[in-house]
Every structure is written in structure tokens, then in C-alpha cells.
Amino acid sequence: MTRSQRRGSNKKKYIILSLIFVPLLLIAAVFTYGYLQYKSAFENSKDDSILDDEPIEFNPVEVTEEKYNVLMLGIDARGEEQSRTDTIMIAQYDEKTKDTKLVSIMRDTYVEIPGHDSNKINAAHAIGGVELLRKTIEHNFGVDLHYYAIVDFQSFSKVVDVAFPDGVEIDVEKDMSKGIDHALTAGKQTLNGAELLDYVRFRQDSESDFGRVRRQQEVLKVLSNEFSELNTVVKLPKIMGTAMPYIKTNMENSLLIKIGPSVLFENKSEMESLRIPMDGTFTDERYDHAGLVLATDIETNKTAIQEFLGE
């Protein structure tokens, strides 16, 4: 073999090695960057969460299809105020269609609590934790739950600020100031995380909790659409690292990583939502043991929620 032939052979080897190792180095750099972003954000958030490390009893049914029903509980603590389960939602993710559906259950919905007297559905969590709430939802509405996620509301504002440092545009429906930390003016506003949290917290008007639940669903749809406009998942490690200390769940990390990008970055402009009880299916009542409740037509709402989730 001549010297020129050997040089040509060596050049080909260098080209082949470059084609193999350069992509590997780029992939390694991306994963390293993502890990460092996640770790830094996690460390910055972990000391602020009110969630403890106590184990939670939850005995879900086995997942038998590509749909996951997640019981989402929002814990709201402000100042010295005791934490409470202010928000009860069921989020369903369909892995096949990439669709997400959202059911909000009013916390004052009057239901049968297995092994206990009838009461507000929120009382099920106060009496027996997440597992009794799971049983109560299954008993009254026939919905199987596969996972739970308890979310400290502090994460909401932090995640919004990380994902959207320039704020999120919301059409504020009215002037709002009572019972929240930031006064909001009616009209289209660009809100930061803390202001957006106040918008979904507000309930000092004639709609009370009904308006709060409606705004929660509205904002989740807006945020979902905003996430879908992001052209890259570069922010995802930092977003996840910021949020994880504020979330307590039985979902495996592998499942979160699997469905997280689809939930965040698929366009959800048509995300469906349902509120329980539905309009016209309840009356306001007061009972000595429970106080003011929403006396609900359980069977009508059971049929509606099962049809909505395809149970």
C-alpha cells in the first residue's frame, strides 16, 4: 500500500470515528446540561415545600389500558394558616391519543363516605386521607383511580415564572383584590406566577367556589396551550426540578418522564373539562354535622363523569 493510500485510509477512519463520537458527545452534553438544570432547580425549591415525607396509603386498581386517571389534590397554605385540600381534580391522560381530560369536583359536594356518615367530599380526605378519598370517589361515581398527586400550590407560581419569565396573558374578568395578595384589574393582563395564583384563588364574589373552579380550569388550559407553543423541551428539566419538591405522588419517575413532554408540549387547545356537580344537579343545603353543602344528584353526575372519562 502506498503512502497516499494509507493517508486516504486513515482519513476515512477519522471521518467514521467522527460520525460516531461527535453525536454521542452532543447527546452526553445535552443530558449533562439537563441534569444540572434539574438538580439546581430542585435544590432551590426543596426547602420551601410544606409536603412531608410520611408514607401515604393508596390502593389503586391495576392499569389495564393506555389511560391513566390521576387524583390531583391541591394543598393551599398561606402564612400561619393550616394547610387544607382546597382542590380535588381527576386528570385523565390517554397515552394513545395524547389527549388530556380534566374533572373538577367541588369540595362541598355531599356524598356517601364509605364507613362513615354522608358529608362533604373534602371531609373524606380529612377523615381518612388519600385512600378514603379514592374509595369515596369510586363508591359515588364509579371512577377507578390509578395514581395520586398532592400538589403544594406554592409550586404553581414558581413553575409559571420559570417557564414564562415574561408572564402569561390572561383576560381578567373583573377587578379582584379581596382575600388575595395582589390587586388585579379587569381586562387583558400579563400576570406573573404569584398574580396568576391569586387569580385562581379568588373567590370573594357571588360565584364563590364555582368561580374559583372555573378559573382553575381556564388557567390550566391557557398554560397547556402556552406550553405547546414552546418549540423546544430545553426548559423541561428546570421546570421539572422546580416542581418536584412541591409534588407528592406514587407515579414512577419513568412514567412522569414518559408522559411529561406530551402533557406539556402537545397542543391542548381542545382539552375537555367537566365540573361536578353539574349545573342543575344540586341544591344548597345546610346540615348540622356538615354545614353548608351541595346536595347533589349523585346518579346523574355519576353517569356524566363516566361518559366523560369513558369509564
Side-chain angles (χ1 to χ4, degrees):
M1 181 180 291
T2 65
R3 181 178 294 181
S4 61
Q5 287 174 328
R6 286 198 297 270
R7 286 177 180 173
S9 178
N10 288 335
K11 187 176 181 180
K12 289 181 180 178
K13 289 180 181 178
Y14 291 139
I15 292 174
I16 293 172
L17 289 174
S18 297
L19 291 174
I20 294 174
F21 286 108
V22 170
L24 289 177
L25 287 173
L26 290 174
I27 293 172
V30 169
F31 274 97
T32 301
Y33 172 81
Y35 171 75
L36 292 175
Q37 289 287 302
Y38 176 90
K39 184 178 180 181
S40 175
F42 185 91
E43 292 295 327
N44 289 335
S45 296
K46 70 177 184 178
D47 293 332
D48 295 332
S49 178
I50 62 173
L51 300 179
D52 57 41
D53 295 325
E54 292 296 318
I56 289 179
E57 181 186 2
F58 188 78
N59 302 308
V61 298
E62 182 180 355
V63 178
T64 58
E65 56 182 328
E66 296 174 322
K67 289 183 180 180
Y68 311 116
N69 291 334
V70 183
L71 175 61
M72 298 177 60
L73 305 177
I75 304 296
D76 191 6
R78 297 176 235 181
E80 298 301 318
E81 188 176 304
Q82 184 179 3
S83 302
R84 60 185 186 271
T85 305
D86 244 12
T87 300
I88 302 174
M89 290 183 175
I90 300 171
Q92 183 186 83
Y93 177 71
D94 189 321
E95 189 174 334
K96 185 176 181 180
T97 65
K98 310 300 182 185
D99 290 333
T100 304
K101 293 182 179 181
L102 192 66
V103 178
S104 295
I105 303 178
M106 302 289 292
R107 60 181 183 169
D108 291 339
T109 305
Y110 196 65
V111 295
E112 293 181 359
I113 300 177
H116 302 271
D117 293 332
S118 294
N119 209 322
K120 299 177 182 179
I121 195 167
N122 199 36
H125 184 265
I127 295 169
V130 180
E131 172 61 10
L132 184 57
L133 181 54
R134 182 196 69 79
K135 290 180 179 177
T136 300
I137 292 174
E138 194 284 328
H139 175 75
N140 287 272
F141 301 113
V143 175
D144 291 330
L145 298 168
H146 308 113
Y147 302 99
Y148 72 84
I150 301 175
V151 181
D152 175 359
F153 273 169
Q154 291 184 69
S155 68
F156 182 86
S157 60
K158 290 179 178 290
V159 169
V160 168
D161 287 337
V162 168
F164 311 106
D166 296 328
V168 176
E169 186 176 80
I170 292 290
D171 190 359
V172 179
E173 60 199 55
K174 66 186 76 174
D175 290 343
M176 301 176 180
S177 59
K178 189 175 180 180
I180 55 178
D181 297 327
H182 304 85
L184 304 177
T185 304
K188 286 190 176 181
Q189 309 289 337
T190 299
L191 306 182
N192 62 28
E195 293 166 337
L196 196 58
L197 179 57
D198 276 341
Y199 179 69
V200 300
R201 274 175 168 166
F202 180 76
R203 57 182 174 222
Q204 302 297 325
D205 61 5
S206 59
E207 287 188 286
S208 189
D209 267 355
F210 289 93
R212 182 177 65 93
V213 168
R214 176 175 52 76
R215 283 187 290 273
Q216 285 177 353
Q217 293 187 341
E218 169 202 346
V219 167
L220 286 176
K221 290 180 180 181
V222 170
L223 290 180
S224 184
N225 289 334
E226 291 290 330
F227 273 117
S228 71
E229 294 299 320
L230 297 176
N231 296 320
T232 176
V233 296
V234 171
K235 287 186 178 181
L236 186 58
K238 190 173 183 180
I239 293 170
M240 295 294 288
T242 300
M244 287 311 295
Y246 299 94
I247 301 173
K248 193 169 184 177
T249 181
N250 65 331
M251 298 181 72
E252 305 90 345
N253 287 337
S254 59
L255 181 58
L256 288 172
I257 293 172
K258 182 179 179 181
I259 71 174
S262 292
V263 172
L264 291 178
F265 296 104
E266 291 288 338
N267 194 320
K268 299 297 190 303
S269 60
E270 301 300 325
M271 183 172 71
E272 298 179 81
S273 61
L274 176 69
R275 191 206 69 213
I276 298 296
M278 300 181 300
D279 288 340
T281 66
F282 67 91
T283 57
D284 296 315
E285 304 290 346
R286 178 183 289 276
Y287 300 129
D288 290 340
H289 67 288
L292 287 172
V293 304
L294 303 176
T296 301
D297 181 342
I298 294 296
E299 287 303 316
T300 298
N301 283 275
K302 178 179 180 179
T303 298
I305 194 172
Q306 287 187 352
E307 291 179 351
F308 179 74
L309 294 177
E311 292 292 311

Short mmCIF file of all heavy atoms in Angstrom, two decimals, residues 60-112:
data_model
loop_
_atom_site.label_atom_id
_atom_site.label_comp_id
_atom_site.label_asym_id
_atom_site.label_seq_id
_atom_site.Cartn_x
_atom_site.Cartn_y
_atom_site.Cartn_z
N PRO A 60 -54.59 1.58 44.57
CA PRO A 60 -55.27 1.79 43.29
C PRO A 60 -55.59 0.48 42.59
O PRO A 60 -55.04 -0.57 42.91
CB PRO A 60 -54.23 2.58 42.49
CG PRO A 60 -52.92 2.08 43.01
CD PRO A 60 -53.14 1.83 44.48
N VAL A 61 -56.48 0.58 41.62
CA VAL A 61 -56.73 -0.55 40.74
C VAL A 61 -55.57 -0.66 39.77
O VAL A 61 -54.83 0.31 39.52
CB VAL A 61 -58.05 -0.39 39.96
CG1 VAL A 61 -59.22 -0.33 40.92
CG2 VAL A 61 -58.02 0.85 39.09
N GLU A 62 -55.38 -1.83 39.19
CA GLU A 62 -54.30 -2.03 38.23
C GLU A 62 -54.64 -1.37 36.90
O GLU A 62 -55.79 -1.38 36.45
CB GLU A 62 -54.08 -3.53 38.01
CG GLU A 62 -52.94 -3.86 37.06
CD GLU A 62 -52.76 -5.36 36.87
OE1 GLU A 62 -53.48 -6.12 37.57
OE2 GLU A 62 -51.94 -5.76 36.04
N VAL A 63 -53.66 -0.73 36.30
CA VAL A 63 -53.85 -0.12 34.98
C VAL A 63 -53.98 -1.23 33.94
O VAL A 63 -53.10 -2.07 33.80
CB VAL A 63 -52.66 0.79 34.62
CG1 VAL A 63 -52.86 1.38 33.22
CG2 VAL A 63 -52.51 1.91 35.64
N THR A 64 -55.10 -1.24 33.23
CA THR A 64 -55.34 -2.30 32.24
C THR A 64 -55.41 -1.78 30.82
O THR A 64 -55.56 -2.55 29.89
CB THR A 64 -56.65 -3.04 32.57
OG1 THR A 64 -57.74 -2.09 32.59
CG2 THR A 64 -56.57 -3.74 33.92
N GLU A 65 -55.34 -0.46 30.64
CA GLU A 65 -55.35 0.11 29.31
C GLU A 65 -54.46 1.35 29.29
O GLU A 65 -53.83 1.67 30.29
CB GLU A 65 -56.78 0.45 28.87
CG GLU A 65 -57.51 1.37 29.82
CD GLU A 65 -58.94 1.64 29.37
OE1 GLU A 65 -59.17 1.66 28.15
OE2 GLU A 65 -59.79 1.84 30.23
N GLU A 66 -54.42 2.03 28.16
CA GLU A 66 -53.49 3.14 28.00
C GLU A 66 -54.09 4.46 28.48
O GLU A 66 -53.79 5.52 27.93
CB GLU A 66 -53.07 3.24 26.53
CG GLU A 66 -52.29 2.02 26.05
CD GLU A 66 -52.00 2.08 24.56
OE1 GLU A 66 -52.88 2.55 23.82
OE2 GLU A 66 -50.90 1.67 24.17
N LYS A 67 -54.94 4.40 29.49
CA LYS A 67 -55.50 5.60 30.10
C LYS A 67 -55.13 5.61 31.58
O LYS A 67 -55.27 4.61 32.26
CB LYS A 67 -57.03 5.64 29.95
CG LYS A 67 -57.51 5.89 28.54
CD LYS A 67 -59.03 5.98 28.52
CE LYS A 67 -59.56 6.22 27.11
NZ LYS A 67 -61.04 6.31 27.09
N TYR A 68 -54.68 6.77 32.06
CA TYR A 68 -54.30 6.91 33.46
C TYR A 68 -55.20 7.96 34.10
O TYR A 68 -55.27 9.10 33.65
CB TYR A 68 -52.84 7.35 33.58
CG TYR A 68 -51.86 6.55 32.77
CD1 TYR A 68 -51.14 7.14 31.73
CD2 TYR A 68 -51.66 5.20 33.02
CE1 TYR A 68 -50.23 6.40 30.99
CE2 TYR A 68 -50.75 4.46 32.27
CZ TYR A 68 -50.04 5.07 31.26
OH TYR A 68 -49.15 4.33 30.52
N ASN A 69 -55.89 7.58 35.18
CA ASN A 69 -56.68 8.52 35.95
C ASN A 69 -55.89 8.91 37.20
O ASN A 69 -55.56 8.07 38.03
CB ASN A 69 -58.02 7.91 36.38
CG ASN A 69 -58.95 7.69 35.19
OD1 ASN A 69 -58.85 8.38 34.18
ND2 ASN A 69 -59.85 6.73 35.32
N VAL A 70 -55.58 10.19 37.31
CA VAL A 70 -54.75 10.68 38.41
C VAL A 70 -55.59 11.58 39.31
O VAL A 70 -56.19 12.56 38.85
CB VAL A 70 -53.55 11.48 37.87
CG1 VAL A 70 -52.65 11.93 39.03
CG2 VAL A 70 -52.75 10.66 36.86
N LEU A 71 -55.65 11.24 40.59
CA LEU A 71 -56.32 12.07 41.59
C LEU A 71 -55.38 13.19 41.98
O LEU A 71 -54.31 12.94 42.55
CB LEU A 71 -56.70 11.23 42.81
CG LEU A 71 -57.31 11.99 44.00
CD1 LEU A 71 -58.61 12.68 43.61
CD2 LEU A 71 -57.53 11.05 45.18
N MET A 72 -55.76 14.42 41.65
CA MET A 72 -54.91 15.57 41.94
C MET A 72 -55.51 16.38 43.08
O MET A 72 -56.67 16.81 43.00
CB MET A 72 -54.75 16.44 40.69
CG MET A 72 -54.07 15.72 39.53
SD MET A 72 -53.97 16.74 38.04
CE MET A 72 -53.01 18.14 38.64
N LEU A 73 -54.72 16.59 44.13
CA LEU A 73 -55.17 17.33 45.29
C LEU A 73 -54.29 18.56 45.46
O LEU A 73 -53.07 18.45 45.52
CB LEU A 73 -55.11 16.47 46.55
CG LEU A 73 -55.87 15.13 46.49
CD1 LEU A 73 -55.65 14.36 47.77
CD2 LEU A 73 -57.34 15.37 46.24
N GLY A 74 -54.92 19.72 45.55
CA GLY A 74 -54.18 20.96 45.75
C GLY A 74 -54.18 21.36 47.21
O GLY A 74 -55.24 21.50 47.83
N ILE A 75 -53.00 21.52 47.78
CA ILE A 75 -52.85 21.94 49.17
C ILE A 75 -52.49 23.41 49.18
O ILE A 75 -51.50 23.83 48.57
CB ILE A 75 -51.74 21.14 49.89
CG1 ILE A 75 -52.03 19.64 49.79
CG2 ILE A 75 -51.61 21.57 51.34
CD1 ILE A 75 -53.27 19.20 50.49
N ASP A 76 -53.28 24.21 49.89
CA ASP A 76 -53.09 25.65 49.90
C ASP A 76 -52.77 26.10 51.32
O ASP A 76 -53.60 25.98 52.22
CB ASP A 76 -54.36 26.34 49.40
CG ASP A 76 -54.14 27.82 49.13
OD1 ASP A 76 -52.99 28.27 49.22
OD2 ASP A 76 -55.11 28.52 48.82
N ALA A 77 -51.56 26.60 51.55
CA ALA A 77 -51.17 27.11 52.87
C ALA A 77 -50.66 28.53 52.70
O ALA A 77 -49.78 28.80 51.90
CB ALA A 77 -50.09 26.22 53.50
N ARG A 78 -51.20 29.44 53.49
CA ARG A 78 -50.79 30.84 53.40
C ARG A 78 -50.45 31.34 54.80
O ARG A 78 -51.28 31.33 55.70
CB ARG A 78 -51.90 31.70 52.80
CG ARG A 78 -52.25 31.33 51.39
CD ARG A 78 -53.42 32.13 50.87
NE ARG A 78 -54.50 31.28 50.39
CZ ARG A 78 -55.62 31.75 49.86
NH1 ARG A 78 -55.81 33.03 49.77
NH2 ARG A 78 -56.55 30.94 49.44
N GLY A 79 -49.22 31.80 54.97
CA GLY A 79 -48.80 32.29 56.27
C GLY A 79 -48.90 31.22 57.34
O GLY A 79 -48.38 30.12 57.20
N GLU A 80 -49.60 31.52 58.43
CA GLU A 80 -49.76 30.58 59.53
C GLU A 80 -51.01 29.73 59.37
O GLU A 80 -51.34 28.92 60.22
CB GLU A 80 -49.85 31.36 60.87
CG GLU A 80 -48.59 32.17 61.18
CD GLU A 80 -47.35 31.29 61.27
OE1 GLU A 80 -47.43 30.18 61.85
OE2 GLU A 80 -46.31 31.69 60.73
N GLU A 81 -51.71 29.93 58.25
CA GLU A 81 -52.94 29.19 58.02
C GLU A 81 -52.66 27.71 57.80
O GLU A 81 -51.72 27.33 57.10
CB GLU A 81 -53.61 29.77 56.77
CG GLU A 81 -55.00 29.24 56.51
CD GLU A 81 -55.61 29.95 55.32
OE1 GLU A 81 -55.68 31.18 55.36
OE2 GLU A 81 -56.00 29.26 54.36
N GLN A 82 -53.44 26.84 58.43
CA GLN A 82 -53.23 25.40 58.30
C GLN A 82 -53.49 24.95 56.87
O GLN A 82 -54.40 25.42 56.21
CB GLN A 82 -54.15 24.66 59.27
CG GLN A 82 -53.92 23.15 59.28
CD GLN A 82 -54.84 22.46 60.28
OE1 GLN A 82 -55.67 23.09 60.89
NE2 GLN A 82 -54.66 21.16 60.43
N SER A 83 -52.66 24.03 56.42
CA SER A 83 -52.83 23.51 55.07
C SER A 83 -54.18 22.81 54.92
O SER A 83 -54.66 22.19 55.86
CB SER A 83 -51.70 22.52 54.74
OG SER A 83 -50.46 23.13 54.88
N ARG A 84 -54.76 22.89 53.75
CA ARG A 84 -56.04 22.23 53.53
C ARG A 84 -56.11 21.77 52.08
O ARG A 84 -55.44 22.31 51.21
CB ARG A 84 -57.20 23.18 53.83
CG ARG A 84 -57.20 24.44 52.97
CD ARG A 84 -58.30 25.38 53.40
NE ARG A 84 -58.42 26.52 52.51
CZ ARG A 84 -57.76 27.65 52.64
NH1 ARG A 84 -56.90 27.78 53.63
NH2 ARG A 84 -57.93 28.64 51.81
N THR A 85 -56.93 20.76 51.85
CA THR A 85 -57.13 20.28 50.49
C THR A 85 -58.19 21.14 49.84
O THR A 85 -59.38 20.93 50.00
CB THR A 85 -57.56 18.80 50.49
OG1 THR A 85 -56.60 18.06 51.23
CG2 THR A 85 -57.62 18.26 49.09
N ASP A 86 -57.75 22.14 49.09
CA ASP A 86 -58.66 23.10 48.51
C ASP A 86 -59.17 22.67 47.15
O ASP A 86 -60.20 23.13 46.70
CB ASP A 86 -57.95 24.46 48.37
CG ASP A 86 -58.59 25.52 49.25
OD1 ASP A 86 -59.41 25.15 50.09
OD2 ASP A 86 -58.28 26.71 49.08
N THR A 87 -58.43 21.82 46.48
CA THR A 87 -58.76 21.46 45.10
C THR A 87 -58.75 19.94 44.94
O THR A 87 -57.81 19.27 45.35
CB THR A 87 -57.74 22.08 44.13
OG1 THR A 87 -57.78 23.51 44.26
CG2 THR A 87 -58.02 21.68 42.70
N ILE A 88 -59.84 19.41 44.36
CA ILE A 88 -59.93 17.98 44.05
C ILE A 88 -60.20 17.86 42.56
O ILE A 88 -61.22 18.33 42.06
CB ILE A 88 -61.05 17.30 44.86
CG1 ILE A 88 -60.82 17.47 46.36
CG2 ILE A 88 -61.16 15.81 44.50
CD1 ILE A 88 -61.98 16.95 47.22
N MET A 89 -59.27 17.23 41.86
CA MET A 89 -59.41 17.06 40.42
C MET A 89 -59.06 15.62 40.03
O MET A 89 -58.30 14.95 40.73
CB MET A 89 -58.49 18.00 39.64
CG MET A 89 -58.84 19.46 39.70
SD MET A 89 -57.70 20.44 38.67
CE MET A 89 -58.46 22.07 38.80
N ILE A 90 -59.62 15.19 38.92
CA ILE A 90 -59.20 13.94 38.27
C ILE A 90 -58.67 14.31 36.90
O ILE A 90 -59.40 14.89 36.09
CB ILE A 90 -60.36 12.94 38.14
CG1 ILE A 90 -60.93 12.58 39.51
CG2 ILE A 90 -59.90 11.68 37.41
CD1 ILE A 90 -62.21 11.78 39.45
N ALA A 91 -57.41 14.03 36.66
CA ALA A 91 -56.82 14.27 35.35
C ALA A 91 -56.65 12.93 34.65
O ALA A 91 -56.07 12.00 35.22
CB ALA A 91 -55.47 14.96 35.48
N GLN A 92 -57.16 12.82 33.45
CA GLN A 92 -57.01 11.59 32.68
C GLN A 92 -56.11 11.86 31.48
O GLN A 92 -56.34 12.79 30.72
CB GLN A 92 -58.35 11.06 32.19
CG GLN A 92 -58.22 9.73 31.43
CD GLN A 92 -59.54 9.28 30.82
OE1 GLN A 92 -59.92 9.72 29.74
NE2 GLN A 92 -60.26 8.41 31.52
N TYR A 93 -55.08 11.02 31.34
CA TYR A 93 -54.19 11.11 30.18
C TYR A 93 -54.32 9.84 29.37
O TYR A 93 -54.19 8.73 29.89
CB TYR A 93 -52.74 11.30 30.63
CG TYR A 93 -51.78 11.32 29.46
CD1 TYR A 93 -51.74 12.40 28.59
CD2 TYR A 93 -50.92 10.24 29.22
CE1 TYR A 93 -50.87 12.42 27.50
CE2 TYR A 93 -50.05 10.26 28.14
CZ TYR A 93 -50.02 11.35 27.29
OH TYR A 93 -49.18 11.37 26.22
N ASP A 94 -54.60 10.01 28.08
CA ASP A 94 -54.72 8.89 27.15
C ASP A 94 -53.42 8.79 26.36
O ASP A 94 -53.11 9.65 25.53
CB ASP A 94 -55.90 9.11 26.20
CG ASP A 94 -56.22 7.88 25.36
OD1 ASP A 94 -55.27 7.21 24.93
OD2 ASP A 94 -57.41 7.60 25.14
N GLU A 95 -52.64 7.76 26.65
CA GLU A 95 -51.33 7.61 26.03
C GLU A 95 -51.43 7.40 24.52
O GLU A 95 -50.54 7.79 23.77
CB GLU A 95 -50.58 6.44 26.67
CG GLU A 95 -49.13 6.32 26.26
CD GLU A 95 -48.41 5.24 27.04
OE1 GLU A 95 -48.83 4.93 28.17
OE2 GLU A 95 -47.44 4.69 26.50
N LYS A 96 -52.51 6.80 24.07
CA LYS A 96 -52.67 6.50 22.65
C LYS A 96 -53.01 7.75 21.85
O LYS A 96 -52.42 8.02 20.80
CB LYS A 96 -53.75 5.43 22.46
CG LYS A 96 -53.91 4.97 21.03
CD LYS A 96 -54.93 3.84 20.93
CE LYS A 96 -55.07 3.34 19.50
NZ LYS A 96 -56.07 2.24 19.39
N THR A 97 -53.97 8.52 22.33
CA THR A 97 -54.42 9.71 21.60
C THR A 97 -53.69 10.98 22.03
O THR A 97 -53.83 12.01 21.38
CB THR A 97 -55.92 9.93 21.80
OG1 THR A 97 -56.18 10.21 23.19
CG2 THR A 97 -56.71 8.69 21.39
N LYS A 98 -52.95 10.92 23.15
CA LYS A 98 -52.26 12.07 23.73
C LYS A 98 -53.23 13.13 24.25
O LYS A 98 -52.86 14.29 24.44
CB LYS A 98 -51.29 12.72 22.71
CG LYS A 98 -50.35 11.75 22.02
CD LYS A 98 -49.46 11.01 22.99
CE LYS A 98 -48.49 10.09 22.26
NZ LYS A 98 -47.68 9.26 23.17
N ASP A 99 -54.48 12.73 24.48
CA ASP A 99 -55.48 13.66 24.99
C ASP A 99 -55.47 13.71 26.51
O ASP A 99 -55.21 12.71 27.18
CB ASP A 99 -56.88 13.26 24.51
CG ASP A 99 -57.08 13.47 23.03
OD1 ASP A 99 -56.41 14.36 22.47
OD2 ASP A 99 -57.91 12.77 22.43
N THR A 100 -55.77 14.90 27.04
CA THR A 100 -55.90 15.08 28.49
C THR A 100 -57.29 15.60 28.79
O THR A 100 -57.78 16.52 28.13
CB THR A 100 -54.86 16.09 29.01
OG1 THR A 100 -53.55 15.66 28.64
CG2 THR A 100 -54.94 16.20 30.53
N LYS A 101 -57.94 15.01 29.77
CA LYS A 101 -59.25 15.47 30.24
C LYS A 101 -59.15 15.83 31.71
O LYS A 101 -58.34 15.26 32.45
CB LYS A 101 -60.31 14.39 30.04
CG LYS A 101 -60.61 14.07 28.59
CD LYS A 101 -61.72 13.02 28.47
CE LYS A 101 -62.04 12.72 27.02
NZ LYS A 101 -63.13 11.72 26.89
N LEU A 102 -59.99 16.76 32.13
CA LEU A 102 -59.90 17.26 33.50
C LEU A 102 -61.29 17.34 34.13
O LEU A 102 -62.21 17.93 33.55
CB LEU A 102 -59.26 18.65 33.48
CG LEU A 102 -58.81 19.25 34.80
CD1 LEU A 102 -57.66 18.44 35.38
CD2 LEU A 102 -58.39 20.70 34.61
N VAL A 103 -61.43 16.73 35.30
CA VAL A 103 -62.67 16.79 36.07
C VAL A 103 -62.38 17.50 37.38
O VAL A 103 -61.46 17.11 38.12
CB VAL A 103 -63.24 15.39 36.37
CG1 VAL A 103 -64.51 15.51 37.21
CG2 VAL A 103 -63.50 14.62 35.08
N SER A 104 -63.13 18.54 37.68
CA SER A 104 -63.03 19.22 38.97
C SER A 104 -64.24 18.84 39.82
O SER A 104 -65.38 18.94 39.37
CB SER A 104 -63.01 20.74 38.79
OG SER A 104 -61.85 21.15 38.09
N ILE A 105 -63.96 18.39 41.05
CA ILE A 105 -65.04 18.03 41.97
C ILE A 105 -65.10 19.09 43.06
O ILE A 105 -64.12 19.30 43.79
CB ILE A 105 -64.82 16.64 42.60
CG1 ILE A 105 -64.69 15.58 41.49
CG2 ILE A 105 -65.98 16.29 43.53
CD1 ILE A 105 -64.43 14.17 42.03
N MET A 106 -66.24 19.75 43.16
CA MET A 106 -66.39 20.78 44.18
C MET A 106 -66.20 20.17 45.57
O MET A 106 -66.76 19.12 45.88
CB MET A 106 -67.78 21.41 44.09
CG MET A 106 -68.08 22.05 42.73
SD MET A 106 -67.15 23.55 42.42
CE MET A 106 -67.88 24.66 43.63
N ARG A 107 -65.44 20.85 46.41
CA ARG A 107 -65.08 20.28 47.71
C ARG A 107 -66.29 20.15 48.64
O ARG A 107 -66.25 19.37 49.61
CB ARG A 107 -64.01 21.14 48.37
CG ARG A 107 -64.42 22.57 48.62
CD ARG A 107 -63.31 23.37 49.24
NE ARG A 107 -63.74 24.73 49.53
CZ ARG A 107 -63.04 25.58 50.26
NH1 ARG A 107 -61.89 25.21 50.77
NH2 ARG A 107 -63.49 26.80 50.48
N ASP A 108 -67.37 20.90 48.39
CA ASP A 108 -68.57 20.83 49.24
C ASP A 108 -69.60 19.85 48.72
O ASP A 108 -70.72 19.78 49.25
CB ASP A 108 -69.21 22.22 49.37
CG ASP A 108 -68.35 23.19 50.17
OD1 ASP A 108 -67.49 22.71 50.95
OD2 ASP A 108 -68.53 24.41 50.02
N THR A 109 -69.27 19.07 47.68
CA THR A 109 -70.19 18.08 47.15
C THR A 109 -70.55 17.06 48.23
O THR A 109 -69.67 16.46 48.85
CB THR A 109 -69.56 17.34 45.94
OG1 THR A 109 -69.16 18.32 44.97
CG2 THR A 109 -70.54 16.38 45.32
N TYR A 110 -71.85 16.87 48.46
CA TYR A 110 -72.33 16.00 49.53
C TYR A 110 -72.41 14.56 49.02
O TYR A 110 -73.13 14.26 48.07
CB TYR A 110 -73.70 16.47 50.01
CG TYR A 110 -74.14 15.92 51.35
CD1 TYR A 110 -73.46 16.24 52.51
CD2 TYR A 110 -75.25 15.08 51.44
CE1 TYR A 110 -73.87 15.75 53.74
CE2 TYR A 110 -75.68 14.59 52.67
CZ TYR A 110 -74.97 14.92 53.81
OH TYR A 110 -75.38 14.44 55.03
N VAL A 111 -71.64 13.67 49.64
CA VAL A 111 -71.51 12.30 49.15
C VAL A 111 -71.55 11.32 50.32
O VAL A 111 -71.41 11.71 51.50
CB VAL A 111 -70.18 12.10 48.39
CG1 VAL A 111 -70.13 12.94 47.13
CG2 VAL A 111 -68.98 12.42 49.29
N GLU A 112 -71.71 10.04 49.98
CA GLU A 112 -71.56 8.98 50.97
C GLU A 112 -70.08 8.64 51.11
O GLU A 112 -69.41 8.35 50.13
CB GLU A 112 -72.33 7.73 50.54
CG GLU A 112 -73.84 7.89 50.52
CD GLU A 112 -74.54 6.60 50.12
OE1 GLU A 112 -73.84 5.60 49.83
OE2 GLU A 112 -75.79 6.59 50.07
#
